[in-house]
Amino acid sequence: MTPTLQDVSMILGLPIQGDPLCMNTASDGWRQQMEALIGMAPPAPADPKARAPAGAAFSWIRLNFAQCPQGANEDTIRTYTRVYLWYMISRTLFPDSGGKLAHWCWLKALTVLEHRWSWGTAALAYLYRQLDEACRRTGSGGIGGCLLLLSVWSWDRLSVGRPRTLTERPWPHHHDNLDREPTWVTHLWDKEEMMRTVASFPSKETKV
């Protein structure tokens, strides 16, 4: 009982074909590489002995790349596009248990925007690792990974705690434009009512 690549494709619509997202995750000189790729990087900590994660806080990204300048040239547009994709996948597909940082390795994967990576496979593998670490209570003791994938998968596969869908609609198809094909998230589970459990406690007058 675990999410599969078919679930990833049906729930998130991510590609499960293409090159595997395998790369060197070493962080040596990551600030210099980030500056070369997007023009800036978070400042180094004041204390040279302090450990700083290899990445940028989401607040830093929003502060510096919230709005692409009007009339920007093609290189600037590509930079803002790359940062936007980095921000989005770091918050949705590859969040860590802290939830505050976009790790450098995901920006590194966006060096060539046109490259066809198997993002669905990477997201599932990352979720597996995060679940393993959460079960073993390693790291910060929290849980990371694409919890949207895990939630919708559990709703569709398990009856315990499943929300009640509020609308029943026919499944649309766009054979002439596959990018518009619906997913479980966008069509089946976009309107639901969460299950609520009301616990009743005996009053002071009740004799047990």
Side-chain angles (χ1 to χ4, degrees):
M1 286 176 40
T2 186
T4 65
L5 283 177
Q6 183 187 45
D7 295 318
V8 174
S9 179
M10 293 293 293
I11 294 172
L12 301 178
L14 291 174
I16 57 176
Q17 295 180 337
D19 293 335
L21 193 58
C22 298
M23 57 185 174
N24 185 0
T25 58
S27 58
D28 296 340
W30 67 269
R31 282 190 176 83
Q32 291 76 14
Q33 296 181 61
M34 185 181 292
E35 289 178 358
L37 192 58
I38 63 174
M40 64 177 67
D47 184 0
K49 296 182 179 180
R51 293 187 60 185
F58 292 127
S59 57
W60 181 88
I61 297 176
R62 291 193 300 267
L63 178 65
N64 293 282
F65 293 94
Q67 186 69 41
C68 184
Q70 292 288 337
N73 57 31
E74 184 176 349
D75 289 340
T76 301
I77 294 174
R78 290 177 67 86
T79 295
Y80 275 78
T81 302
R82 184 177 287 112
V83 174
Y84 174 77
L85 292 174
W86 177 39
Y87 181 90
M88 290 298 296
I89 65 175
S90 297
R91 297 209 66 153
T92 57
L93 302 182
F94 307 109
D96 61 10
S97 57
K100 298 180 180 179
L101 186 79
H103 287 276
W104 152 245
C105 63
W106 308 123
L107 177 61
K108 189 176 180 180
L110 296 169
T111 302
V112 182
L113 292 175
E114 294 81 6
H115 199 98
R116 188 172 179 81
W117 298 112
S118 180
W119 288 104
T121 306
L124 183 60
Y126 186 80
L127 177 62
Y128 283 165
R129 173 171 293 191
Q130 291 294 316
L131 291 173
D132 179 62
E133 292 181 355
C135 292
R136 293 188 292 113
R137 295 185 179 182
T138 59
S140 63
I143 184 173
C146 186
L147 298 186
L148 174 65
L149 167 62
L150 188 64
S151 297
V152 176
W153 169 82
S154 68
W155 294 347
D156 199 76
R157 304 298 191 189
L158 308 174
S159 59
V160 178
R162 175 188 296 168
R164 180 173 62 90
T165 55
L166 298 179
T167 57
E168 293 289 341
R169 296 175 295 166
W171 191 270
H173 286 288
H174 303 274
H175 299 292
D176 56 337
N177 189 352
L178 297 180
D179 291 335
R180 295 189 61 195
E181 284 288 293
T183 66
W184 287 353
V185 171
T186 59
H187 186 74
L188 183 61
W189 294 105
D190 63 335
K191 294 181 180 179
E192 72 282 336
E193 181 181 14
M194 298 302 295
M195 299 293 291
R196 293 179 175 86
T197 301
V198 179
S200 59
F201 297 92
S203 63
K204 293 181 180 179
E205 291 79 14
T206 304
K207 295 182 179 180
V208 180

